[in-house]
Amino acid sequence: MNKRHTHIELWFWVGGLIALGLSNHTAQHYTLCPWALLGWTHCPGCGIGRSIASVLHGDWQQAWAYHPLGVFALFVIAKRIYELAKNLFCSNVCSKS
């Protein structure tokens, strides 16, 4: 993966977590979920964004209610951000040694 793609992916994940952290995680909002737009009441992925937002707001019980895998997803995203940042910044600093 080249450096430009690393920048884009890193900013995408960081921006997404910032947006979720600043969001009103209890409000109903427009969804982009194709299943919800078709009127289906259950989708395995629905609620994971609200679950992550609830964790970021410290509301662990609501996070579990939205989606039990929200905490796990947050850890996976945080690990990906760490790996991208380490690769991006270490490639600049470590290659000069």
Side-chain angles (χ1 to χ4, degrees), residues 3-32:
K3 195 180 280 191
R4 181 167 185 253
H5 288 125
T6 300
H7 280 287
I8 292 170
E9 185 180 353
L10 179 62
W11 284 113
F12 174 81
W13 289 120
V14 170
L17 287 182
I18 289 171
L20 286 172
L22 295 175
S23 70
N24 181 358
H25 65 287
T26 58
Q28 294 295 325
H29 60 278
Y30 178 74
T31 183
L32 296 175

